[in-house]
Amino acid sequence: MDAKEYVENIIEKVKEKDPGEKEFHQTITEVLTSLIPVIEKEPKYMKNKILERITEPERVIIFRVSWEDDNHEIHVNRGYRVEFNSAIGPYKGGLRFHPTVNLSILKFLGFEQIFKNSLTGLPMGGGKGGSDFDPHGKSDNEVRRFCEAFMSELYRHIGPNTDVPAGDIGVGGREIGYLFGAYKKIVDRFEGVLTGKNYNWGGSLIRPEATGYGATYFLTEMLKSKGTDLNGKKVAISGSGNVAQFAAKKVTELGGKVITLSDSKGAMSLPDGLNDEIWQAVYETKAIKHGRLQEVAEKFGLEWHAGKKAWEIVDSVDIAFPSATQNEIDLNDAKRLVNAGVMAVVEGANMPSTLEAIDYFHENGVLFGPAKAANAGGVAVSGLEMSQNSLRLQWTADEVDKKLHDIMVNIYKASATYAEKYGHAGNLLIGANIAGFVKVADSMIDQGIY
Ligand code: NDP
């Protein structure tokens, strides 16, 4: 069987085994197809059945989370932890609280996380978890009770050397605080079991900024390869959460002009770019008050486009920086962006572009920075938070930022180098997938059959 047939066969088997897991099928198709060049050149991966093994999570935990709201009504949600691969370190990946959460989405995120974590160069395996709980519109006390109920089961499966969760959509500093408090109370140990913690109790400086800053550093390297930089570039950013906020901040700092932000209710135009005052209002509205972006648009007299995506409100754009959620750029959006003159797309969110959109960008010569490379800064600083916890000390913001910058430059270089080595120069998606894969696959072979 040749490499292409082998890969197609595995993709079909995954689809047959878990029908209906469309997000998981999408990532399996993207990643495995891009690995064909390395499977072809290195027979050891087929011989050791690495693709069969790597597509099967090591462990999946599903549990009931019962909690009581402020009116003493009882609610039941479903909790998950997908412990996907521990070949190069403890499972590591975020927790997502969002009504759309299901096993398919968490398997897709956990699978991506394996390669992303490998790319950072730090010893972290891949995992992901969360719940279909929706923190929107809940009081702080309700969120706390939910987090305590969630942790009352999760605690037995995690630990600083086993599995170290972090935040993701719907899980920010507040939730990490409640989750950490609950864990500490149950196990009676103060240990680095979660990342994204507040600085006062073991967090790392620059962790909140890390994904947005890191993706912007990655973007800068992409632009450098074309002899240009961010100065004066029009950047359409989607989302207004953690990633979008700090991407917008760093892009502006480096001379780019942020022309959109959005949330799940619509998109906001920023014809004159972002300034400190608007940024602060976005941060306070979204990160502190958990409110709606429309309030910021109204406060500053900016045009609000209800129900629209960021890509639908721009006529002329240099860079698209999707930072909201999966599949937010489909083929139509990709066509619209190319017509509007986009030269680069950098994925702040996980899998924001559909497979068709990615192909369209590549066919049209658009520089494409894939999520698992571009947004690895968050988990990289989470890794640095784990190191600081083990050392029982905390580095300065400058030290962490410098390490983050170096890691992002290295990820860019590894992606570009592997793309070239396997005959796809300039295709950072193929390069990142192969670079991330080789380290994990070789480690699996070293460790025997499990
Ligand atoms: P947040 O919850 O802080 O923000 C998410 C943003 O996306 C909000 O503006 C939210 O709007 C919007 N959004 C969510 N769902 C949808 C939807 N279906 N349609 C349109 N907009 C939507 O999450 P993060 O910023 O942390 O995460 C954003 C993305 O980045 C995710 O894909 C995440 O997996 C990825 N990521 C995050 C990392 C991190 O360190 N935080 C690390 C690596 C990747 P609203 O407020 O209305 O819900």
Side-chain angles (χ1 to χ4, degrees):
M1 196 185 310
D2 71 10
K4 187 164 177 288
E5 252 177 279
Y6 169 60
V7 163
E8 283 169 357
N9 195 16
I10 303 277
I11 297 173
E12 276 324 298
K13 278 197 182 138
V14 168
K15 288 182 177 171
E16 268 170 35
K17 204 174 200 180
D18 296 307
E21 294 188 354
K22 65 179 187 338
E23 292 84 2
F24 184 53
H25 299 166
Q26 183 178 340
T27 191
I28 290 284
T29 307
E30 180 224 285
V31 175
L32 266 48
T33 307
S34 71
L35 295 177
I36 293 173
V38 70
I39 302 293
E40 216 157 43
K41 276 204 179 156
E42 310 282 355
K44 62 181 172 182
Y45 298 132
M46 214 195 287
K47 180 169 172 282
N48 283 283
K49 299 244 182 336
I50 290 298
L51 295 189
E52 286 88 335
R53 287 155 63 185
I54 210 168
T55 51
E56 186 71 30
E58 287 175 16
R59 189 179 300 118
V60 175
I61 301 143
I62 301 184
F63 51 100
R64 182 176 69 209
V65 187
S66 311
W67 58 282
E68 209 177 4
D69 70 16
D70 290 343
N71 298 318
H72 304 293
E73 194 177 325
I74 295 170
H75 298 266
V76 179
N77 287 97
R78 187 170 286 178
Y80 303 84
R81 188 70 183 163
V82 177
E83 297 184 332
F84 223 120
N85 192 296
S86 62
I88 62 167
Y91 309 107
K92 177 93 198 93
L95 296 171
R96 177 176 291 192
F97 291 169
H98 195 273
T100 57
V101 162
N102 57 37
L103 190 55
S104 169
I105 289 183
L106 295 179
K107 280 173 70 180
F108 123 61
L109 290 164
F111 187 69
E112 285 281 301
Q113 199 79 46
I114 302 171
F115 306 97
K116 184 188 304 192
N117 293 1
S118 163
L119 279 171
T120 66
L122 301 171
M124 298 180 288
K128 199 85 189 185
S131 173
D132 56 0
F133 171 74
D134 185 0
H136 279 122
K138 305 286 191 302
S139 70
D140 281 355
N141 271 329
E142 288 173 331
V143 170
R144 177 180 54 76
R145 283 195 292 273
F146 176 80
C147 288
E148 287 167 357
F150 184 81
M151 190 52 88
S152 72
E153 172 61 32
L154 187 69
Y155 85 94
R156 65 184 90 243
H157 308 288
I158 62 176
N161 297 310
T162 317
D163 184 353
V164 185
D168 188 67
I169 291 179
V171 179
R174 173 183 61 169
E175 291 76 14
I176 293 291
Y178 294 146
L179 291 164
F180 186 75
Y183 177 86
K184 185 162 59 75
K185 178 82 188 148
I186 299 168
V187 304
D188 195 23
R189 283 192 302 273
F190 191 109
E191 56 191 17
V193 70
L194 290 160
T195 58
K197 301 187 290 297
N198 187 290
Y199 181 73
N200 288 336
W201 35 275
S204 175
L205 292 172
I206 306 292
R207 177 61 190 90
E209 293 87 345
T211 308
Y213 278 18
T216 311
Y217 297 148
F218 191 87
L219 169 64
T220 307
E221 294 305 304
M222 289 164 64
L223 296 175
K224 231 189 245 174
S225 75
K226 295 283 172 204
T228 185
D229 59 25
L230 262 169
N231 225 355
K233 298 277 187 314
K234 285 176 276 182
V235 185
I237 298 183
S238 66
S240 50
N242 174 260
V243 178
Q245 289 155 18
F246 290 101
K249 188 168 191 178
K250 188 53 85 178
V251 164
T252 309
E253 238 174 76
L254 297 179
K257 181 173 164 186
V258 174
I259 56 171
T260 63
L261 286 171
S262 68
D263 70 7
S264 55
K265 301 290 179 208
M268 175 170 91
S269 293
L270 291 152
D272 300 322
L274 192 66
N275 59 34
D276 286 351
E277 210 188 339
I278 303 177
W279 187 86
Q280 198 58 38
V282 171
Y283 180 76
E284 274 164 25
T285 305
K286 299 303 290 188
I288 316 257
K289 291 192 268 174
H290 306 280
R292 310 264 40 127
L293 189 62
Q294 187 173 1
E295 298 161 30
V296 180
E298 283 164 5
K299 181 169 174 198
F300 290 91
L302 296 163
E303 210 173 330
W304 176 253
H305 306 263
K308 293 260 193 250
K309 300 187 197 177
W311 335 119
E312 294 174 307
I313 65 165
V314 290
D315 300 327
S316 167
V317 62
D318 299 308
I319 292 156
F321 205 145
S323 305
T325 193
Q326 64 273 359
N327 292 330
E328 53 170 315
I329 300 185
D330 60 19
L331 182 58
N332 281 334
D333 299 319
K335 286 183 178 166
R336 194 176 291 118
L337 283 167
V338 168
N339 280 336
V342 81
M343 65 163 301
V345 176
V346 60
E347 296 191 318
N350 280 317
M351 204 167 78
S353 315
T354 63
L355 294 173
E356 295 78 19
I358 297 173
D359 287 345
Y360 192 78
F361 289 136
H362 280 136
E363 283 156 22
N364 285 275
V366 176
L367 278 174
F368 182 75
K372 71 173 67 63
N375 73 24
V379 74
V381 174
S382 277
L384 299 178
E385 184 173 331
M386 290 165 72
S387 307
Q388 293 170 79
N389 290 167
S390 298
L391 293 166
R392 297 197 189 279
L393 50 79
Q394 285 171 303
W395 296 325
T396 64
D398 279 354
E399 280 174 293
V400 180
D401 195 26
K402 181 167 181 323
K403 288 184 203 296
L404 168 65
H405 185 262
D406 291 350
I407 289 172
M408 296 315 297
V409 171
N410 285 340
I411 294 177
Y412 176 82
K413 281 190 189 146
S415 307
T417 308
Y418 272 87
E420 198 170 334
K421 180 172 170 191
Y422 287 96
H424 293 269
N427 189 323
L428 298 173
L429 177 71
I430 291 184
N433 282 338
I434 296 181
F437 170 79
V438 165
K439 182 174 167 187
V440 176
D442 289 349
S443 305
M444 288 172 73
I445 294 172
D446 290 345
Q447 292 168 23
I449 302 167
Y450 71 92

